[in-house]
């Protein structure tokens, strides 16, 4: 029996925000361990918008920046940060003054302000020696909890037990299936939002096992279990991202080819064994059905009677209006822009609800323009390559995967979090060499 919004939601948000505030006031570096969970858990307070921990915690960090009067960033990254601050200010002013949706523009201003603050905080904290280990442990614990509850969701559905489903506001809730097999979402808002979190958390377990030989075996099992449960999201974009990530990662780290095989075989074996010994789960059929359904959806595109992928319309709009592709349409204005061009069901549904784009890349193009978006991805690519050079394999892998996934899902908060840690680790390495 799926359960949706309850009184636990505001209590969890308030408690989580209070815990973050306590960390900031006492020992801020501990917040790095809590951050992965805070940016994932989907519990909310219905106030103006649905206030989640991934909104309230960055807002606390933004308040901290204002109190300190300083946005901390590495000297090598100051030009790129200044560039994005100018672009952000310009797009914000345009959206607030001339945009068709001022309230949405204001919400997006707060959101992006939190991203700048998150980047600054993760960089500042990662400069401390103990921070990286705290960060990795936070990822491992977050992944283990999310994976454990995802497993419970599967048993709960077949056993008729209560479970928190996919929450649709304060009144709606459902669960998703792929050929009769439950698509897990754990404590994230949707299955497709869960996959990339489990992936980076699972990788963190495997890398932390190398740092803690005493716990090596246990951490590896946690990592394998976390990655295994990510398969039950049945997210086509997630599976595609894993495939592309593997191909690119092998080009960057050809010496890791053997390790990839060693890490992958147990996961493949688990899927095969579960599918063979529990045929009633129909796992193989679900994977095949998911592939066929998404292939058909892409082929139909805008010609379908119902289009669930807002990205089809977004790409069509950018092709028709090159100026918008270069300069954007203003912060938070793409909802009303797409609605005005294509009508109800695009950008805004028939009931007035917003229909977001499932792509960090496209959101940035509409918010800031294609030129600024290309600059952002170029900076992330530069960071990935330089982290590889100095031996920061995990951060390089995590950023690579999050960047690939960002074209089909909103991963920007995790990208910014990992980028801040990556810049700090890179700066510390250069300082140690000098």
């Amino acid at each position: 029996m799926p359960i949706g919004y309850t009184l636990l939601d505001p209590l969890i948000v308030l408690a989580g925000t209070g815990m973050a505030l306590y960390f900031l006031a006492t020992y801020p570096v501990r917040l790095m361990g809590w951050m992965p969970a805070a940016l994932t858990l989907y519990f909310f307070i219905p106030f103006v918008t649905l206030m989640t921990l991934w909104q309230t915690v960055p807002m606390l960090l933004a308040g901290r920046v204002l109190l300190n009067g300083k946005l901390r960033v590495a000297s090598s990254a100051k030009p790129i940060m200044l560039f994005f601050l100018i672009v952000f200010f310009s797009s914000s002013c345009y959206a607030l003054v001339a945009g068709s949706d001022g309230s949405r523009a204001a919400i997006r201003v707060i959101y992006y302000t939190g991203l700048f603050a998150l980047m600054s905080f993760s960089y500042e904290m990662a400069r401390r020696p103990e921070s990286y280990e705290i960060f990795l442990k936070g990822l491992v614990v977050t992944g283990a909890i999310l994976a454990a509850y995802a497993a419970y969701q599967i048993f709960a559905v077949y056993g008729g037990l209560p479970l928190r489903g996919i929450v649709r506001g304060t009144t709606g809730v459902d669960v998703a299936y792929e050929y009769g097999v439950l698509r897990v979402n754990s404590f994230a808002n949707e299955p497709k939002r869960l996959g990339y979190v489990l992936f980076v958390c699972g990788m963190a377990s495997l890398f932390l096992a190398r740092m803690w030989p005493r716990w090596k075996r246990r951490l590896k099992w946690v990592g394998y279990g976390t990655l295994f449960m990510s398969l039950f999201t049945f997210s086509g974009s997630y599976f595609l991202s894993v495939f592309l990530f593997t191909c690119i990662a092998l080009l960057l780290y050809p010496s890791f080819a053997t390790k990839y095989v060693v890490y992958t075989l147990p996961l493949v074996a688990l899927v095969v064994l579960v599918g063979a010994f529990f045929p009633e789960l129909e796992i193989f059929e679900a994977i095949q059905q998911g592939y066929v359904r998404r292939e058909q959806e892409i082929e139909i595109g805008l010609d379908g009677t119902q289009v669930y992928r807002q990205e089809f319309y977004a790409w069509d709009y950018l092709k028709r209006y090159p100026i918008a592709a270069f300069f954007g349409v203003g912060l938070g204005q793409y909802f009303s822009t797409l609605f005005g061009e294509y009508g109800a069901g695009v950008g805004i549904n028939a009931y007035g609800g917003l229909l977001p784009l499932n792509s960090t890349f496209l959101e940035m193009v509409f918010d800031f323009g294609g030129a600024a978006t290309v600059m952002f991805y170029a900076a992330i690519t530069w960071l990935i390559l330089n982290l590889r050079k100095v031996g920061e394999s995990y951060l390089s892998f995590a950023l690579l995967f999050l960047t690939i996934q960002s074209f089909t899902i909103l991963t920007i908060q995790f990208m910014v979090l990992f980028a801040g840690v990556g810049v700090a680790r890179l700066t510390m390495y250069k300082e140690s060499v000098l």
Side-chain angles (χ1 to χ4, degrees), residues 81-102:
M81 180 65 81
L82 179 61
F83 170 79
F84 283 113
L85 284 171
I86 293 172
V87 172
F88 168 66
F89 179 77
S90 302
S91 181
S92 300
C93 289
Y94 172 79
L96 291 170
V97 174
S100 58
D101 191 346

Side-chain angles (χ1 to χ4, degrees), residues 253-330:
Y253 293 88
S255 61
F256 276 35
T258 302
K259 291 183 179 180
Y260 272 114
V261 174
V262 172
Y263 289 155
T264 303
L265 285 179
L267 293 176
V268 175
L270 274 174
V271 175
V272 173
L273 289 173
V274 172
F277 286 99
F278 300 95
E280 65 274 8
L281 294 179
E282 298 182 312
I283 292 178
F284 301 141
E285 292 82 359
I287 294 174
Q288 181 181 8
Q289 176 66 21
Y291 171 78
V292 171
R293 181 165 59 84
R294 285 160 180 80
E295 184 181 42
Q296 291 174 345
E297 186 179 54
I298 292 173
E299 289 178 354
I300 295 173
L302 296 180
D303 295 328
T305 55
Q306 287 184 318
V307 178
Y308 296 100
R309 302 291 185 187
Q310 298 292 302
E311 293 79 9
F312 293 152
Y313 288 109
W315 282 112
D316 182 71
Y317 184 89
L318 295 176
K319 290 178 183 177
R320 295 170 60 184
Y321 300 98
I323 294 179
F326 189 84
F327 292 106
V329 297

Side-chain angles (χ1 to χ4, degrees), residues 61-75 78 81 85 116-121 123-124:
L61 299 180
R64 182 173 180 268
V65 169
L66 293 175
L67 288 175
N68 293 335
K70 188 175 183 180
L71 193 67
R72 299 184 184 277
V73 64
S75 57
K78 284 183 179 179
M81 180 65 81
L85 284 171
F116 282 110
L118 178 60
M119 171 73 179
S120 175
F121 177 79
Y123 167 77
E124 179 188 353

